[in-house]
Amino acid sequence: MFEKLEKAAGFIEEKLNGRPEIGLILGSGLGVLADEIENPVKIPYQDIPEFPVSTVEGHAGQLVLGSLSGKKVVAMQGRFHFYEGYSMDKVTIPVRVMKLLGVGTLIVTNAAGGVNESFQAGDLMLITDHINNTGTNPLIGANDKRFGPRFPDMSEAYSRELQTVAKAIAGKLNIGLKEGVYVGNSGPTYETPAEVKLARVLGGDAVGMSTVPEVIVARHCSMKVLGISCITNMAAGILDQPLSHEEVIETTEKVKSSFLSLIKEIVKAI
Ligand code: R1P
C-alpha cells in the first residue's frame, strides 16, 4: 500500500509547484470552498492512481491544489464514504496521500444531523471529539509503521490548539459556533429516532456518515486535525419531518458565506 500511495503522491506532485501544508476535506454541499482556491490545479479523482471515484451528489470528485488565505492547500472537493461500497482503507487513501504530499494539518468538514436539541439547522459545530459507531476501523489489518503505530493514541483526536484558534475566529466573525461530539455511523440510511436517542445518551451532539475513518487515519500518521460540522437538519425524531439529501444540500447553500469566512480565516491563522 505505502509504495502505491507514494506513486499517487508522486503523480500529484508533478503537477504542482510547492507542497501543500494544509489539507481540507469538504463535505456534502461544502465543496464551494475549493472554488476560493487561487491558482488552482484541479485533478479529477479518476486520473489519480489508486483513488476511488465520488458517487454521491454534492461531491464533485476532484482534488484542488493551490493557495487559500496565503497558505498552500490541497482540498478534496468531494469525499468517499464507506456506504458507497469502498473498504475503509480505500475511503481513507486521500488522507495518506495528503500526508505523503507533506500535509501536517487536516481540516475535515461535513454535513451532519443535529442530535443536541439546542442546535438548529444551519448551525456550524466545532467537533470536539467523535464516537466511532461504524462497527469497523480503517486501521484493521497489517500495520505499516511508516504511517504510524499499531495502537494509536486517540486522546486528542481533534487538536485542542486548533479548537482554540477556531473559537477565537468564530468570536471575531460573530459566528455562533456550537461545539460537540460527532457520532459516525456507516449509513446510508439516516438514523431512526431510537438511534438518535442512543447517540444522545452516548454523549453525541451530531450524527453523520463520514469523518471518523479519515480522522483515525490522520491521527495514525500524526496529522493535527480540526473538524467542523454543518448542522444541515435536525436528526430523526426531533422535528416531525422526514430527512432528505436535498434538504442537506439546501442548508449548506444557506450557510455558505459564514462557512467560507470561518474556514478561510482559520487557514490564515494556522
Ligand atoms: C447524507 O445526506 C450525506 O451527507 C453527509 C453524510 O455523511 C452523508 O454522506 O455527507 P458528508 O459527511 O460527506 O458531508
Side-chain angles (χ1 to χ4, degrees):
M1 184 67 129
F2 191 88
E3 285 74 19
K4 284 182 175 171
L5 299 189
E6 271 186 328
K7 208 182 272 180
F11 171 86
I12 296 164
E13 253 169 358
E14 274 172 22
K15 303 184 185 307
L16 305 177
N17 57 19
R19 289 157 80 85
E21 47 183 315
I22 299 173
L24 295 144
I25 302 183
L26 305 174
S28 288
L30 302 170
V32 283
L33 182 65
D35 300 335
E36 305 279 312
I37 294 176
E38 290 161 31
N39 304 315
V41 173
K42 300 180 179 179
I43 314 176
Y45 294 153
Q46 68 257 28
D47 294 351
I48 308 173
E50 305 304 323
F51 261 53
V53 294
S54 290
T55 66
V56 184
E57 199 200 318
H59 291 258
Q62 58 182 6
L63 274 192
V64 184
L65 300 106
S67 302
L68 185 71
S69 310
K71 301 276 166 65
K72 291 250 182 258
V73 300
V74 48
M76 288 184 75
Q77 203 172 25
R79 61 149 56 88
F80 309 116
H81 306 84
F82 187 50
Y83 64 74
E84 291 174 80
Y86 296 123
S87 59
M88 281 289 189
D89 54 347
K90 277 261 175 200
V91 164
T92 52
I93 278 176
V95 177
R96 288 184 158 165
V97 170
M98 284 182 184
K99 174 72 183 180
L100 294 174
L101 286 172
V103 168
T105 300
L106 181 67
I107 302 180
V108 281
T109 67
N110 58 54
V115 168
N116 183 322
E117 286 169 313
S118 74
F119 292 178
Q120 280 179 12
D123 281 342
L124 295 175
M125 182 190 93
L126 176 68
I127 306 178
T128 55
D129 205 349
H130 74 220
I131 294 174
N132 177 9
N133 198 35
T134 63
T136 183
N137 188 302
L139 301 179
I140 290 175
N143 182 55
D144 190 331
K145 282 189 185 149
R146 287 170 290 184
F147 283 118
R150 170 76 291 185
F151 301 110
D153 173 41
M154 290 294 280
S155 51
E156 195 180 331
Y158 299 81
S159 157
R160 282 196 275 271
E161 183 195 330
L162 295 179
Q163 289 181 52
T164 305
V165 171
K167 284 191 268 189
I169 287 169
K172 200 175 85 185
L173 297 175
N174 232 345
I175 294 172
L177 186 64
K178 308 286 192 235
E179 292 178 39
V181 173
Y182 177 91
V183 180
N185 293 320
S186 72
T189 44
Y190 290 116
E191 297 71 21
T192 63
E195 287 163 349
V196 172
K197 204 186 261 180
L198 176 70
R200 191 178 302 120
V201 168
L202 291 177
D205 297 285
V207 279
M209 310 168 195
S210 68
T211 303
V212 165
E214 297 152 358
V215 173
I216 290 173
V217 166
R219 293 301 299 139
H220 180 236
C221 62
S222 307
M223 284 172 162
K224 277 190 188 170
V225 176
L226 177 76
I228 304 281
S229 290
C230 170
I231 305 298
T232 48
N233 53 274
M234 293 310 287
I238 298 177
L239 304 175
D240 190 19
Q241 59 189 51
L243 309 183
S244 74
H245 191 55
E246 288 70 37
E247 184 195 1
V248 167
I249 303 287
E250 263 171 46
T251 311
T252 56
E253 184 58 36
K254 286 183 199 146
V255 299
K256 197 165 106 178
S257 82
S258 48
F259 173 74
L260 292 181
S261 42
L262 179 66
I263 303 286
K264 280 161 68 179
E265 285 299 311
I266 291 172
V267 168
K268 194 190 282 176
I270 58 181

